[in-house]
Amino acid sequence: MVGGGEGAFIGAIHRAAAALDGEWQLVAGAFSSDPERNRRSGAALGIEPARVYNSLDALLVAEAALPADQRIDAVSIVTPNHLHAPMAIAALDAGFHVFCEKPMALSSAEARLIAQAAERSGRQFGLAFTYSGYPLVEEARARVARGDLGKIRLVQVEYSQGWLSQPIDRDGNKQAEWRTDPARAGLGGCLGDIGTHAFHLAEHVSGLGVRELCADLTIHVEGRRLDDDVAVLLRLDGGARGTLKASQIAAGDENGLKLRIHGEKGGLEWSQMEPNTLTLRWLDRPAELVRAGGPGLAPSTLPRLRTPAGHPEGYIEAFANLYRSFAARIRTGNSDAADGFPSIEAGLRTMAFVETVIANAASDQKWSAVTHS
Amino acid sequence: MVGGGEGAFIGAIHRAAAALDGEWQLVAGAFSSDPERNRRSGAALGIEPARVYNSLDALLVAEAALPADQRIDAVSIVTPNHLHAPMAIAALDAGFHVFCEKPMALSSAEARLIAQAAERSGRQFGLAFTYSGYPLVEEARARVARGDLGKIRLVQVEYSQGWLSQPIDRDGNKQAEWRTDPARAGLGGCLGDIGTHAFHLAEHVSGLGVRELCADLTIHVEGRRLDDDVAVLLRLDGGARGTLKASQIAAGDENGLKLRIHGEKGGLEWSQMEPNTLTLRWLDRPAELVRAGGPGLAPSTLPRLRTPAGHPEGYIEAFANLYRSFAARIRTGNSDAADGFPSIEAGLRTMAFVETVIANAASDQKWSAVTHS
Amino acid sequence: MVGGGEGAFIGAIHRAAAALDGEWQLVAGAFSSDPERNRRSGAALGIEPARVYNSLDALLVAEAALPADQRIDAVSIVTPNHLHAPMAIAALDAGFHVFCEKPMALSSAEARLIAQAAERSGRQFGLAFTYSGYPLVEEARARVARGDLGKIRLVQVEYSQGWLSQPIDRDGNKQAEWRTDPARAGLGGCLGDIGTHAFHLAEHVSGLGVRELCADLTIHVEGRRLDDDVAVLLRLDGGARGTLKASQIAAGDENGLKLRIHGEKGGLEWSQMEPNTLTLRWLDRPAELVRAGGPGLAPSTLPRLRTPAGHPEGYIEAFANLYRSFAARIRTGNSDAADGFPSIEAGLRTMAFVETVIANAASDQKWSAVTHS
Amino acid sequence: MVGGGEGAFIGAIHRAAAALDGEWQLVAGAFSSDPERNRRSGAALGIEPARVYNSLDALLVAEAALPADQRIDAVSIVTPNHLHAPMAIAALDAGFHVFCEKPMALSSAEARLIAQAAERSGRQFGLAFTYSGYPLVEEARARVARGDLGKIRLVQVEYSQGWLSQPIDRDGNKQAEWRTDPARAGLGGCLGDIGTHAFHLAEHVSGLGVRELCADLTIHVEGRRLDDDVAVLLRLDGGARGTLKASQIAAGDENGLKLRIHGEKGGLEWSQMEPNTLTLRWLDRPAELVRAGGPGLAPSTLPRLRTPAGHPEGYIEAFANLYRSFAARIRTGNSDAADGFPSIEAGLRTMAFVETVIANAASDQKWSAVTHS
C-alpha cells in the first residue's frame, strides 16, 4: 500500500475491504512521505519494519528483489490524485499489479500512459470505482443489459455531499485541503472527486456511452480554487437523455449517490445510502423491491453477497467485492469486462468526462462531444 | 365552471377542492362544448338546468343579468390550455373573478392580455399552481424566507411522470390527446403541463428568480409533436444554481414532484407523494422531520391544515387551500403575495420560462435570460 | 349533526368528508348543549337559524314535521361517547338514518339496544370506523379474501399515539378531558378511543374473528382514571395468532395505525400515515408496492379513489368514502357487508372486545373468549 | 474456531467480522465432526493442516501445548446450540477465552456451569448478541441511559422472519433442520434462535429488566417440533410495559429486528434492516434522524464507526465491533459492562427468559416472574 498513513481516510477502508474475504494480506507499505509518520503507521498496522519503506521506489526495488513466494502481488495506491499516474506506472513497470484510487490520473494524457504501462507489463490495473461493487448495482446493470426496462430513455445520476459547505479546506482539514488544491487534485474538484463516480456509475449500469454534454461548474465557497458543484446535461447512445448532478456544498447531505434509469417499459432506482434495495417500477404492474439476498436476483449478483436477506451489507463489503474481483483477475489472467470490475477503459472514460466538462463549462459552446481514444 | 364535463380529470378535483371547506358552491357551468354532454354533466352535478350553459359567453351574459346575490362570484376555467386566455379575459371583462388552470396561456403575449384584463376589471385572477397549496410547501417557503438555511446555493426541482411512455395520445386517451396537440396545449408538452409546476414551485419556495437557463427538450415517443422530456440548468438570483427536470416518459413514475433547496447551513427536501413531511438536514446537527400538524410549524403554515398530525392530508386538500385563499382574496380585496396564492405574476413568470426554454433548446445558445415585463 | 360545535375536532372532519363528493348537505344541527355556542356554531356553518336546534330532541321533532323533501335524511352523531347510544336510538326511532362516531356505545348492552332500534325502524346505522374507508385497506381486505396470502397465520395491529403523554386532561384540553373521564368515555380510555379502531381493522381486513384474548391495561400518567396503554395477545379463527397494541402515551408518535397480516405465502403491511401504499412481501419473489391509483388494484378498491396515482389522498377522503357508502346504502336499502361499510355487526364486535379486555386485564385469567350475541 | 465448516452460515460471518479490523487471525480450527469435511474446510480457509483438528478436545490439547506466543488466544464456538455449553466449559478450563454463539446454552443450569468455568479460569466469555454491536444501538442505549427520553414507559421489540414458513426443515435445509430439532436447538425454536436476540436488545438498550411476562408460543407449520412464533407481554422495572414478538413464519419478512422505546418526553426507533438511522421523536419538537457518522453522536458510539456518514455499515461491521470489544477485554482484562459487550450476565438473562416463556406458555398462569441467580 502506498499512502493511507495516520489521518488518512480511504486507506483504512482499502485495508478493511481487502481483509474481509481473506484473499489479501497487507505485508508491506509506504504509508507516508514523512519517515517518522510512515514508521508509526506501519507499526500500528503490524507490518514487519523491514517492509515499511520510505518511498514507493524503495518498496518496488526491495519487493522485486524478494523471492516470488514472499514478495507482494499488487500495489494499492491510496495517495492524493497527482501521484496516481507516476506511481501506477512505476509499479506496473516493476512487474506488480496495481489497484488505484480514482480518479485515474490528472489528465487523459497521463491516463493513457498508465494504459500503455499496463499493456507492456501485462499486469492488471484496477480502479476503485467502489460503487460498482455493490450487489444491487450489478443487479441493476444485469437487468438493463437483459432488456427488462426496454430501450433506455433516461439516465439520471446524482452525487450529493455537503461536507465542503464551509471553507474547511482553509481550516486545516487535510481531506478537504488536498481535494481543493489543483496541484494535487487535478483540474476538477467536486467533478474529479465524486463527479467521476457518478459518471462511471451511469455508463456502467446503463451500458450506454455519453456522447455529448453541456455543463455548468460552480465554486460556491469564496476563495476555493476548484469547483464544488457540478451540473451536466447528457446525451447518450441511442437517443437517451440524462442529467448528472454532483455537489459537495449540498449542506446536510452525506453521501447521496443515486441512480435512476428509465426505459420504455419501466424504471429502476438505486440509492447508495440504502444500498440493499433496488426499486423497479413498471407501466403495467406494481413496483417491486428487489433485495440483496432476496428472491429473483440475477446470477451475476449472487457472488457479490455475503449475508442472507435482511442482514445489511454496506460500503466496505462493496469495496471488498472489487478486491475479490481484482484477485480473481490476477489468478485467472482474465480481464474482460464481464466481471464488472472497473479497469482501464472505465478510467479513460472518466478522464475524458472530466476534461470535456471543464472545457465545456469554460466556453460558450452548448454541446461538447465526449471522446477518448 | 367552464370545462370539466364527463371524462375530464381536473374538473372533478376542482369541484371537490372547492366544496371541502364549504366556502364555494357550484351553481352554474358550461361543462362541454357538446350540448348533450354538457346537459348530462350538469345534471349529474345537480346544477339547476337553467344554469347549465352551452358556452362561456352564454354563461357570462346570463349570470351577469342575475341579481348580485344570486349570480356567480367567480368562474373556474378547467378547459384545455388554448382556451385559458380568451375565456379568462371574457370572464374578467364580464366582471367575474377567475380561477384558471395552468399554464396561464399559450404565450406571454396572451398572458399579458389576461393581466391587463384583470387590471382593468379590478377582479381577482388566480392560477392553479396546486402544489403551492400544500402546508409543508408553505413551511418550506417560510423557512427559506426567514433564513433558516442561510444564503441559498442550490435549487433542484424535478417532476417525473411516466404516463406518456407509450403513444397513448394516438390511442384515444383524451387527456393525452390534447396535451400533446400544439393547437390545444401550446408550444410546450411536458414543459407546459408539468414543467411549469416545477418552475413555479422552485421560484415560489426559494424566493429566487431564475435569471438564465440552458435547456434540452426531447420527444422520446415517435410521432409525438410536443416534448415529453425536459432538462434545464438554472442560474438564479444571487449566484444560486439549479436544475429542473420534468418528464412524462419516466415509465413507472406516478406524480413525482420533488424539491430540494440547499443553503450555506442546511438543506430541505419535500416530495409531493409524501407531502406531510418536510425534511431538513443540517451541517451541525441531526436531520429533522417537520410534520404537518406537528410541533415547530411556521405561523403561515397552520391555517393550511385541517387535521391533527398523523392524519394525512393530500392533493385535494392542497387544492382546497388555493380555493380558500382565492375566497379570502375576493372577500378582502387583498391581492398581495403574502398569502402565497399564485396569481398573475407567477403566471407571467411561467410563460416566460416556457418560451425561454423552447427558444434555448432550439438554438446553439448556451445560456438564455428569463425575463418578463 | 349533533355535537361538533366550536372547539370540537371530529365534527369538522365529518362535515368536510360529507361535503367532498357533493352527496350530503349539512342543513340542520344541534351543535352544542350551550345555546349561545350552538347558535354561533350554526351561524359559522351557514345553517338556517331555524334549523339550529338546542337539543337533539328538538331537532328530531322539528325535522320530522317537515315535508319529506325538506327534512333531513340522516343524523350524524359526533358527541362524546356516553351520548352515542341514547341519541342513536332516539334518531332511529324518529325515522332517521344514523351515522355515529365510535365507539358505538358505553357497553354491549347499550349497543344491542341500538341494534334493536335499527331493526325496528328499518333505518341504516353506520359507524365511523374511518380507517376501513381507505382505498388500500379495501385492497388489503380483498386480497386476503381472495387468498393471495394463503391461509392466514399472523395478524398484528398497532395504534400508537403520544398526545396523552402528559396530564393534559387536567390542564384544560377538552379533547383529552372527556376521553379520560369514565362517565363520558366509557370503561375504556385508550382502549375505547383507538383500541377499537385497531380491533375493527384487524378483523375487517383479515376476515377472521378474534376468539380469545389475553390483555394488559395500564395507566402510565399518574392520576388518570382510564387506561392510556393497551397490549393484547390474540387467538383468531383457524389457529391464527395476533397482537394488538394501542397506546396514547407513546410520546412523539402521531397517529400510527399499522396493520400487518401474514399468510402461508406472503405478508402485507399497511400504515395509515402513508396510506397510499400497500406493501406485499412474498416467499418466492420480490416485494411489491401496490399503490392507490396504480396498476393491479382489486375492482372493489377502484370506486374508493378520486385521484390518479401519485396524487395523495388522505384521512378526509377515507372518511368521505364512508359517507359515500352510507349514502349508497340509504339509496339502495342494501345493507349487506359487501361494501365494506362498518355497521352494527362491527360495532357489536368492538363492544365485546372492549368488555373482554377490561375483564381479562382485571383478572388472573390468562385467556378470555370474545363473544357477542 | 469450532464449527463453521462447509455449508455453515454463521461461521463465515464470524471469520469476516474477526478479520475486518486486523485484530484477530484464524490459525486453527475444528470445523466439522466429519474428518474429510473438516480437512477440506481448513484447507479452503488456508489453515496450516497441522492445526486443523478433528475435535475440540484435540484442538485444546494441542494448542495448549504450543508456546504461548504461538498458541491461540481464544476459541470461537459456532456450532449448533447443544454443543455451546460443553465446548465453552472445556475451552475455558483449558485456559482459552471463549466467544460463543447464542443462545448461551440449552438451559439456565448449563449456562451457570459456563459462568462458573469462566470464573474459575479467569478467562473472558463473550456471546454473539450481534445486534448490540451496531453503532446506533449503542447510541440508543446511551441516550436512554442519560435520560433523553425521560422515564421509560414502553419497550416494544420485534424480530420477524419468514424463512421457516414452509416445512423446509423436513426438506434437507441444514440450517432449518437443527434449529427445529429439540435435541440440538434446545427447548425454544424461534424463541431460542431469535427471541433471545430480541430480549437481549430490549433489556440492553432500555436498561430495564423484565420482571414478569405472559407468553403465547405457537407451532404454525404442521409437524414441526419447536415453536416458530412467539408473542410475549412484558412488565419491566419501574412500571414500564412492553411487548416482544418473534416469528419465523412471517412469510416474506427477512430479518426484521426492530426496537422502539418511549419515555415521558419522546421515543426512539431503530430497525436492523436500516441500521444507520436512529429516529427520535419528541413531544415538543420535530423528529430527528440521528445518523451513523453524522453530528450529535454519543462518545461511546464513535469507536464503533469505520466510515463517514452516508457510507453504510452493516451486519458484518456490527459483528466486528463485538470481536473488537472482545479483543479489548482480553488485552485489558477489563470485563465490566461499560463497553456494552454482551457477556455472561446477558447470557444468563436470556436463558431465564427462554425458560420462563416456555413454562408460562404451557400453563394457565397469566404472569410469570423472570429471575436468574
Side-chain angles (χ1 to χ4, degrees):
Chain A
M1 173 168 283
V2 204
E6 291 172 12
F9 153 55
I10 202 69
I13 300 291
H14 277 254
R15 289 191 294 264
L20 193 66
D21 299 308
E23 299 219 43
W24 293 95
Q25 218 179 328
L26 178 63
V27 293
F31 303 103
S32 172
S33 52
D34 173 63
E36 179 51 23
R37 212 166 142 257
N38 184 36
R39 196 196 53 73
R40 278 202 313 270
S41 300
L45 295 168
I47 310 293
E48 196 184 325
R51 296 177 86 176
V52 179
Y53 304 96
N54 280 330
S55 70
L56 174 65
D57 287 344
L59 180 150
L60 296 176
V61 169
E63 291 290 324
L66 293 175
D69 65 340
Q70 292 174 30
R71 78 167 76 114
I72 59 170
D73 293 304
V75 174
S76 188
I77 301 176
V78 296
T79 63
N81 304 349
H82 67 301
L83 300 173
H84 292 179
M87 287 184 161
I89 293 167
L92 289 165
D93 282 342
F96 298 105
H97 305 288
V98 169
F99 190 86
C100 186
E101 256 305 315
K102 43 50 48 189
M104 189 176 178
L106 295 187
S107 69
S108 284
E110 265 196 4
R112 276 192 296 273
L113 294 178
I114 299 177
Q116 289 160 14
E119 176 87 7
R120 71 177 167 256
S121 71
R123 300 296 153 184
Q124 295 288 343
F125 176 83
L127 265 167
F129 282 117
T130 321
Y131 302 107
S132 59
Y134 274 107
L136 291 191
V137 167
E138 172 55 22
E139 183 70 24
R141 194 203 58 73
R143 284 177 179 255
V144 171
R146 77 186 188 205
D148 286 13
L149 306 183
K151 183 168 177 292
I152 300 306
R153 287 169 169 171
L154 287 180
V155 178
Q156 294 171 267
V157 66
E158 60 183 58
Y159 199 148
S160 194
Q161 297 182 333
W163 69 292
L164 291 179
S165 292
Q166 300 293 322
I168 57 169
D169 27 339
R170 297 201 303 271
D171 299 344
N173 180 308
K174 285 182 73 76
Q175 295 293 325
E177 198 182 300
W178 75 255
R179 276 184 172 82
T180 58
D181 173 6
R184 285 177 285 174
L187 297 175
C190 171
L191 175 62
D193 195 29
I194 62 174
T196 48
H197 275 303
F199 178 82
H200 176 258
L201 192 69
E203 288 203 335
H204 176 66
V205 176
S206 74
L208 302 177
V210 172
R211 292 193 175 180
E212 290 182 290
L213 58 77
C214 170
D216 198 14
L217 280 184
T218 310
I219 297 175
H220 286 274
V221 173
E222 209 179 340
R224 188 164 283 162
R225 290 171 294 164
L226 289 173
D227 66 275
D228 47 26
D229 187 48
V230 183
V232 192
L233 304 178
L234 307 174
R235 290 177 166 180
L236 298 99
D237 295 335
R241 291 293 185 267
T243 50
L244 181 151
K245 175 76 198 170
S247 189
Q248 294 183 313
I249 52 83
D253 285 5
E254 297 178 345
N255 196 43
L257 174 60
K258 188 166 150 186
L259 177 68
R260 285 174 291 177
I261 296 181
H262 289 86
E264 292 176 344
K265 301 188 234 165
L268 65 79
E269 179 171 344
W270 179 81
S271 173
Q272 193 266 158
M273 285 169 55
E274 302 296 0
N276 297 301
T277 300
L278 174 69
T279 305
L280 302 174
R281 298 193 182 86
W282 305 104
L283 277 183
D284 58 354
R285 59 186 194 277
E288 291 172 284
L289 303 177
V290 175
R291 294 271 305 160
L297 295 172
S300 58
T301 302
L302 300 178
R304 286 167 166 82
L305 294 164
R306 286 169 192 79
T307 57
H311 299 71
E313 299 194 53
Y315 180 76
I316 293 174
E317 287 82 357
F319 223 126
N321 285 338
L322 296 193
Y323 266 97
R324 202 155 60 178
S325 293
F326 186 49
R329 285 196 164 201
I330 291 172
R331 262 200 310 274
T332 64
N334 180 354
S335 60
D336 72 33
D339 62 359
F341 183 72
S343 62
I344 290 178
E345 185 67 11
L348 292 172
R349 284 295 295 167
T350 54
M351 293 313 306
F353 167 71
V354 167
E355 291 177 343
T356 309
V357 166
I358 289 173
N360 178 276
S363 80
D364 283 339
Q365 194 172 346
K366 189 161 184 179
W367 295 101
S368 303
V370 182
T371 51
H372 79 273
S373 57
Chain B
M1 174 168 284
V2 205
E6 293 171 11
F9 153 54
I10 202 69
I13 300 290
H14 278 255
R15 288 191 294 265
L20 194 65
D21 299 308
E23 300 219 42
W24 293 95
Q25 218 177 330
L26 178 62
V27 292
F31 303 103
S32 172
S33 53
D34 173 63
E36 181 50 24
R37 213 166 141 254
N38 184 35
R39 196 196 54 73
R40 277 203 312 272
S41 300
L45 294 169
I47 311 293
E48 195 183 324
R51 295 177 86 176
V52 178
Y53 305 95
N54 280 328
S55 69
L56 175 64
D57 288 344
L59 181 150
L60 296 176
V61 169
E63 291 290 324
L66 292 175
D69 66 339
Q70 291 172 32
R71 79 168 73 112
I72 58 170
D73 294 302
V75 175
S76 187
I77 302 176
V78 296
T79 63
N81 305 348
H82 66 301
L83 299 173
H84 292 178
M87 287 184 160
I89 292 167
L92 289 165
D93 282 341
F96 297 106
H97 306 288
V98 169
F99 189 86
C100 186
E101 256 304 316
K102 42 52 46 190
M104 188 175 178
L106 294 186
S107 67
S108 283
E110 266 196 3
R112 276 191 297 271
L113 294 178
I114 299 177
Q116 290 159 13
E119 177 86 6
R120 70 177 168 257
S121 70
R123 300 297 154 184
Q124 295 287 344
F125 176 82
L127 265 168
F129 282 117
T130 322
Y131 302 107
S132 58
Y134 274 107
L136 292 191
V137 167
E138 172 56 22
E139 182 69 25
R141 194 203 59 72
R143 284 175 178 257
V144 171
R146 78 186 187 204
D148 285 14
L149 305 184
K151 183 168 179 291
I152 300 306
R153 288 170 168 170
L154 287 181
V155 179
Q156 293 170 267
V157 65
E158 60 184 57
Y159 199 148
S160 193
Q161 297 182 333
W163 68 294
L164 291 178
S165 292
Q166 300 293 321
I168 57 170
D169 29 337
R170 297 201 304 271
D171 299 346
N173 180 308
K174 285 181 74 77
Q175 295 294 326
E177 199 182 300
W178 74 255
R179 277 186 172 80
T180 58
D181 173 6
R184 285 177 284 173
L187 297 176
C190 171
L191 175 63
D193 195 29
I194 60 173
T196 49
H197 275 302
F199 177 82
H200 176 258
L201 193 68
E203 288 203 336
H204 176 66
V205 177
S206 73
L208 302 177
V210 171
R211 294 194 175 179
E212 291 182 289
L213 59 76
C214 169
D216 198 15
L217 281 183
T218 310
I219 297 174
H220 286 273
V221 172
E222 211 179 339
R224 188 164 285 163
R225 290 171 293 166
L226 288 172
D227 66 276
D228 47 26
D229 186 49
V230 184
V232 192
L233 304 179
L234 307 174
R235 290 177 167 180
L236 298 100
D237 295 335
R241 291 292 185 266
T243 50
L244 182 151
K245 175 75 199 169
S247 189
Q248 294 183 312
I249 52 84
D253 285 5
E254 297 177 346
N255 197 43
L257 175 61
K258 188 167 151 184
L259 177 68
R260 287 174 289 178
I261 295 181
H262 289 86
E264 291 176 343
K265 301 189 234 164
L268 65 79
E269 179 171 345
W270 179 80
S271 172
Q272 192 268 158
M273 286 169 54
E274 303 296 1
N276 297 301
T277 301
L278 175 68
T279 304
L280 302 175
R281 297 192 182 86
W282 306 104
L283 276 183
D284 58 354
R285 60 187 194 274
E288 290 171 285
L289 303 177
V290 175
R291 294 272 304 160
L297 295 173
S300 57
T301 302
L302 300 177
R304 286 166 167 83
L305 293 164
R306 288 169 191 77
T307 57
H311 299 72
E313 299 194 53
Y315 181 76
I316 292 174
E317 287 82 357
F319 224 127
N321 285 338
L322 295 192
Y323 267 98
R324 201 154 59 176
S325 294
F326 186 49
R329 285 196 164 203
I330 292 172
R331 262 199 310 273
T332 64
N334 179 355
S335 61
D336 71 33
D339 63 357
F341 184 72
S343 63
I344 291 178
E345 185 68 9
L348 293 172
R349 283 296 295 168
T350 54
M351 293 313 305
F353 167 71
V354 167
E355 291 178 344
T356 309
V357 165
I358 289 173
N360 177 276
S363 79
D364 284 339
Q365 194 172 347
K366 189 160 184 179
W367 296 100
S368 303
V370 182
T371 51
H372 79 273
S373 56
Chain C
M1 174 168 283
V2 204
E6 292 172 10
F9 153 54
I10 202 69
I13 300 290
H14 277 255
R15 290 190 294 265
L20 193 66
D21 299 308
E23 300 219 42
W24 292 95
Q25 220 179 327
L26 178 62
V27 292
F31 303 104
S32 173
S33 52
D34 173 64
E36 181 51 24
R37 212 165 142 255
N38 184 35
R39 195 197 55 73
R40 278 202 312 271
S41 299
L45 294 168
I47 310 293
E48 196 184 325
R51 296 177 85 178
V52 178
Y53 305 96
N54 280 330
S55 69
L56 174 65
D57 288 344
L59 181 149
L60 295 176
V61 169
E63 291 290 324
L66 292 176
D69 65 340
Q70 292 174 31
R71 78 168 75 114
I72 57 170
D73 293 304
V75 174
S76 188
I77 301 175
V78 296
T79 62
N81 304 348
H82 65 302
L83 300 172
H84 292 178
M87 286 184 162
I89 293 166
L92 289 164
D93 282 342
F96 298 106
H97 305 288
V98 169
F99 190 87
C100 185
E101 256 305 315
K102 42 49 53 188
M104 189 174 178
L106 295 187
S107 68
S108 283
E110 266 196 4
R112 275 191 297 272
L113 294 177
I114 300 177
Q116 290 160 13
E119 177 84 7
R120 70 176 167 258
S121 71
R123 301 297 153 184
Q124 295 287 344
F125 176 82
L127 265 168
F129 283 116
T130 322
Y131 302 107
S132 59
Y134 274 107
L136 293 190
V137 167
E138 171 55 21
E139 182 69 24
R141 194 204 58 74
R143 284 177 177 254
V144 171
R146 78 186 187 206
D148 285 14
L149 305 184
K151 183 169 179 291
I152 300 305
R153 287 171 170 170
L154 287 181
V155 178
Q156 294 170 269
V157 66
E158 60 183 58
Y159 199 148
S160 194
Q161 298 182 333
W163 69 293
L164 291 179
S165 292
Q166 301 292 323
I168 57 170
D169 28 337
R170 297 201 303 270
D171 300 345
N173 181 307
K174 283 183 73 77
Q175 296 294 325
E177 200 181 298
W178 75 254
R179 277 185 172 80
T180 57
D181 173 6
R184 287 177 285 174
L187 297 175
C190 170
L191 175 63
D193 195 29
I194 61 173
T196 49
H197 275 301
F199 178 82
H200 176 258
L201 193 68
E203 287 202 337
H204 176 67
V205 177
S206 73
L208 301 177
V210 171
R211 294 193 174 179
E212 291 182 291
L213 57 77
C214 169
D216 198 14
L217 281 183
T218 311
I219 297 176
H220 286 274
V221 173
E222 210 178 340
R224 188 163 284 162
R225 288 170 295 165
L226 288 172
D227 66 277
D228 47 26
D229 186 49
V230 184
V232 192
L233 304 179
L234 308 173
R235 290 178 166 179
L236 297 100
D237 294 336
R241 290 293 185 265
T243 51
L244 182 151
K245 175 76 200 170
S247 189
Q248 294 184 313
I249 51 86
D253 285 5
E254 298 178 345
N255 197 43
L257 174 60
K258 188 166 151 185
L259 178 67
R260 287 174 288 178
I261 296 181
H262 289 86
E264 291 176 343
K265 302 189 233 165
L268 64 78
E269 179 172 344
W270 179 81
S271 173
Q272 192 267 157
M273 285 171 54
E274 303 295 0
N276 297 300
T277 300
L278 175 67
T279 304
L280 303 174
R281 297 194 182 86
W282 305 104
L283 276 183
D284 58 354
R285 58 187 195 276
E288 290 172 284
L289 304 177
V290 175
R291 294 271 305 159
L297 295 172
S300 57
T301 302
L302 300 177
R304 285 167 167 82
L305 292 164
R306 288 167 190 79
T307 58
H311 300 71
E313 299 194 54
Y315 181 75
I316 292 174
E317 288 81 357
F319 224 127
N321 285 338
L322 295 192
Y323 266 98
R324 203 155 59 178
S325 293
F326 185 50
R329 286 198 163 201
I330 292 172
R331 262 199 311 272
T332 64
N334 179 355
S335 60
D336 72 33
D339 62 359
F341 184 73
S343 63
I344 291 178
E345 185 67 10
L348 293 172
R349 284 295 295 168
T350 54
M351 293 314 304
F353 167 71
V354 167
E355 291 178 343
T356 311
V357 166
I358 289 172
N360 177 276
S363 79
D364 284 338
Q365 192 172 349
K366 188 161 185 179
W367 295 101
S368 303
V370 182
T371 51
H372 79 273
S373 57
Chain D
M1 173 168 283
V2 203
E6 293 171 13
F9 154 54
I10 203 68
I13 301 291
H14 278 255
R15 288 190 294 264
L20 194 65
D21 299 307
E23 300 219 42
W24 292 94
Q25 219 178 328
L26 178 62
V27 293
F31 303 103
S32 172
S33 52
D34 173 64
E36 180 50 24
R37 212 165 141 254
N38 184 35
R39 196 195 54 74
R40 278 202 312 271
S41 299
L45 294 168
I47 310 292
E48 196 183 324
R51 298 177 84 176
V52 178
Y53 305 96
N54 280 329
S55 69
L56 174 65
D57 287 345
L59 181 149
L60 296 175
V61 168
E63 290 290 324
L66 291 176
D69 65 339
Q70 291 173 32
R71 78 168 74 113
I72 57 170
D73 293 304
V75 174
S76 187
I77 301 175
V78 296
T79 63
N81 305 348
H82 65 302
L83 300 173
H84 292 177
M87 286 183 161
I89 293 166
L92 288 165
D93 283 342
F96 298 106
H97 305 289
V98 169
F99 190 86
C100 184
E101 257 304 315
K102 41 50 56 188
M104 189 175 179
L106 294 188
S107 68
S108 284
E110 265 197 3
R112 276 192 296 273
L113 295 178
I114 299 178
Q116 291 159 13
E119 176 86 7
R120 70 177 168 258
S121 70
R123 300 298 152 183
Q124 296 287 343
F125 176 82
L127 264 168
F129 282 117
T130 321
Y131 302 106
S132 58
Y134 274 106
L136 292 190
V137 167
E138 172 55 23
E139 182 69 24
R141 193 203 59 72
R143 284 177 178 256
V144 171
R146 77 186 188 206
D148 286 14
L149 305 184
K151 182 168 179 292
I152 299 306
R153 287 169 169 172
L154 287 181
V155 178
Q156 292 170 269
V157 66
E158 60 184 58
Y159 198 148
S160 193
Q161 298 182 334
W163 70 293
L164 291 179
S165 291
Q166 301 293 322
I168 56 170
D169 29 337
R170 298 200 304 271
D171 299 346
N173 180 308
K174 284 181 74 75
Q175 295 293 326
E177 200 181 301
W178 74 256
R179 277 185 172 81
T180 57
D181 174 5
R184 284 177 285 173
L187 296 176
C190 171
L191 175 63
D193 196 28
I194 62 173
T196 48
H197 275 302
F199 178 82
H200 176 257
L201 194 68
E203 288 203 335
H204 175 66
V205 176
S206 73
L208 302 177
V210 172
R211 293 192 175 182
E212 289 183 292
L213 57 78
C214 169
D216 198 14
L217 282 184
T218 310
I219 296 175
H220 286 273
V221 173
E222 209 178 341
R224 187 163 285 163
R225 290 170 293 165
L226 289 173
D227 66 277
D228 47 26
D229 186 49
V230 184
V232 192
L233 304 179
L234 308 174
R235 291 178 166 179
L236 299 97
D237 295 335
R241 290 293 184 266
T243 50
L244 182 151
K245 175 75 198 169
S247 189
Q248 294 183 313
I249 53 84
D253 285 5
E254 297 177 345
N255 197 43
L257 175 60
K258 188 167 150 185
L259 177 67
R260 286 174 290 177
I261 296 181
H262 289 85
E264 291 176 343
K265 301 189 234 165
L268 65 79
E269 179 171 345
W270 179 81
S271 172
Q272 192 267 158
M273 285 171 55
E274 304 294 1
N276 297 300
T277 300
L278 174 69
T279 304
L280 303 175
R281 297 193 182 87
W282 305 104
L283 276 183
D284 58 354
R285 58 187 196 276
E288 291 172 284
L289 304 177
V290 175
R291 293 272 303 160
L297 295 172
S300 57
T301 302
L302 301 177
R304 285 166 167 82
L305 293 164
R306 288 167 191 78
T307 58
H311 299 72
E313 298 193 55
Y315 180 75
I316 292 174
E317 287 83 356
F319 224 127
N321 285 337
L322 296 192
Y323 267 98
R324 202 156 58 178
S325 295
F326 186 49
R329 285 195 164 202
I330 292 172
R331 261 199 311 273
T332 63
N334 179 354
S335 59
D336 71 34
D339 62 359
F341 184 73
S343 62
I344 289 178
E345 185 68 10
L348 292 172
R349 284 295 295 167
T350 54
M351 294 313 305
F353 166 72
V354 167
E355 291 177 344
T356 310
V357 166
I358 289 173
N360 178 276
S363 79
D364 284 339
Q365 193 174 347
K366 190 162 185 178
W367 296 101
S368 304
V370 182
T371 51
H372 79 274
S373 55

